[in-house]
Amino acid sequence: MTRFPGERRVLPSNSVTWHRFILLLPLLSCACSADAVPEPEPTLDTKGAFIAVAADEGDYQLLRTLAVLGSGRDDDAFFVLPYLAKPGSFDEARELAQDPALPVGEVTAVGRRSITSREWRVVWFRSVSSEEQAAFR
Amino acid sequence: MRRWAVCWLVAAALLLLSRARADTSAPGGPRLLHVPTASKTTEQGVLTPVPVTLEVPVDLPARRALLHYHVFGTSAWRTLELHREGARYAGAIPCLEVGEMTREVRYYIRVHDAEGAVIAFSGTRSAPYIVAIHHPSARPDLALAALRCPDPAECPPGLPGCPSAEVERIPCSRDRDCEGGLSCGWDGFCGDDPRRRNWFGVDLVQGAGLLATQGACSVSSQESSGYACYRSRDGAIYTGRPVYSNEPLALGLAPTRVQLSYERLLFYDTSLGVRVGYAFAGEGPTLPGAAGFVPYSVEIVARYWLGRDPFAARGLRAYLALGGGFAEYDVRVDVRVREDPNSPTYTQGGNDLEQTLRVWKRAGDAFVSLGAGATYPFTESFSASVELSVCQAFPFPASIATGSVGLRAGFR
């Protein structure tokens, strides 16, 4: 017997069993994902983060954070590695950032405001090697 | 009177000399009831039974005494069971067997215990007692009055005073209890067993392992769980800080081994074997300071053969196997790893936010296995085999599936 006149009966005769199974599905999915840990994302201040910042020419500049002097204010100093590539979008910047052989310039210091005042996004992360760290020092 | 002289001659010799243990008896083997060579040959006339009496030392756990005899001109040795008369065993080679022709009758005696094992003997097939049968025309002194054998129907074999009962099946407990190329069957009797009980084999084994890759590349897993992770980009050992993500189980190749095996058929449908292997391919790299891969493996395996007495006939032989032993399995899989960029204890540079690592898991060193297989005999002595099994390695765990193909050579 269906609940509504227009409702078609689609469940088998042992619908109680199916109902129980359907009710258990969310619990099962919870069990499968219970071990998952939220994947932490790199931030602007994360050492090794690749940041794509909108440039005046309409493209983007790709920077990589090596160190931050300051405590989160606009006048904090960022020591960054500027990459010579000029990506046209965040997605392209993300692709380029994954190339370990991407040409890189000298370590440069920039203010936080010079980044945050423009369109920017953290597009990738690669942990800083000892050689890269030495270049900063 | 002459025949009784033969009887007592043998019996006396056995009695006297069996008490003095012969130095020629093998330790743990059957005792030699020794008789001097001079008394092992005697004479008698035709158409006369050859009486034999044996006195067995009381400390022997004798159950049966069997007289094995051979009449010159016949092809096979025949066997009679001597009947017990107190401390003695007595019987006679039937008159009809001796017949009326001049010839030799050879015999020896073996004493069996309750399990069928030969525990004492007097004479052997190669050095038997010899009774020379003479015709009255040559030796009238050996002739008896009645030159006629009694009708067997008048005195059934086995009854006291009658000819000894012929034994069709010789009891035994091991192969050396049997003679004439016969082997001891699992029914406790000697027979011409067609089964090959000893099988030597060579197999080629390929494994595939199923690994849990969640957290596999953390430093602690690499230090204590047998994992070793390498960056695909530059081959460097990975010591980053991976996020403990929900990575699925991964399937990868395990080493390729060649195995030599020996297997002994213990019963109609049960065998026990040992396999020694060497992994010649599939060895993974070893982390600095870690123990190297041990390519050798050894396994004890018991098999239950399906069907009724499968080794008695040719045809496909299927089995189930249960085994265990020592082996190391290097299993190689590729795992996606995501870095934790905010880890405060970052030490290794060059790790991308997401990357694929080449992961080796060194599982073992012990394992248990469950499998099934089949052999197909090309001849009685050669067969081909295939086997599929699942192993669980421990204490460094991995589930390994192995497949093998091989050849077997069987010997009795």
Side-chain angles (χ1 to χ4, degrees), chain A residues 32-33 35-37 39-42 46 100 124-129, chain B residues 233 243-244 246 336 338 340-342 346 348-354:
Chain A
C32 291
S33 61
D35 295 335
V37 173
E39 295 180 340
E41 297 289 346
T46 301
W124 194 245
F125 164 83
R126 183 183 305 125
S127 58
V128 177
S129 66
Chain B
R233 175 161 54 86
V243 177
Y244 195 69
N246 259 346
R336 171 192 163 274
R338 183 180 173 93
D340 179 0
N342 304 317
Y346 224 92
Q348 185 182 33
N351 288 320
D352 281 291
L353 184 62
E354 291 180 356

Side-chain angles (χ1 to χ4, degrees), chain B residues 245-320:
Chain B
S245 58
N246 259 346
E247 289 302 312
L249 295 176
L251 184 67
L253 282 179
T256 308
R257 282 188 160 84
V258 59
Q259 283 185 333
L260 301 176
S261 64
Y262 167 72
E263 184 175 16
R264 168 79 177 176
L265 199 59
L266 299 179
F267 201 56
Y268 300 100
D269 56 5
T270 310
S271 64
L272 187 65
V274 60
R275 296 197 284 210
V276 179
Y278 179 80
F280 62 89
E283 174 187 348
T286 299
L287 289 174
F293 179 73
V294 179
Y296 300 100
S297 64
V298 60
E299 178 184 11
I300 303 292
V301 58
R303 290 197 177 105
Y304 173 72
W305 297 82
L306 305 176
R308 182 181 177 84
D309 198 3
F311 283 84
R314 286 172 60 179
L316 190 68
R317 299 164 182 158
Y319 61 85
L320 303 174

Side-chain angles (χ1 to χ4, degrees), chain B residues 68-115:
Chain B
H68 305 269
Y69 71 92
H70 177 261
V71 179
F72 183 81
T74 61
S75 59
W77 287 79
R78 305 181 74 170
T79 303
L80 300 174
E81 179 163 3
L82 303 180
H83 57 267
R84 190 163 197 162
E85 296 176 350
R88 300 189 315 161
Y89 285 86
I93 299 172
C95 173
L96 288 174
E97 293 283 352
V98 175
E100 54 183 332
M101 294 181 66
T102 299
R103 50 188 168 182
E104 274 184 1
V105 175
R106 297 165 178 256
Y107 71 88
Y108 61 95
I109 306 165
R110 303 210 302 170
V111 180
H112 297 254
D113 66 7
E115 282 73 43

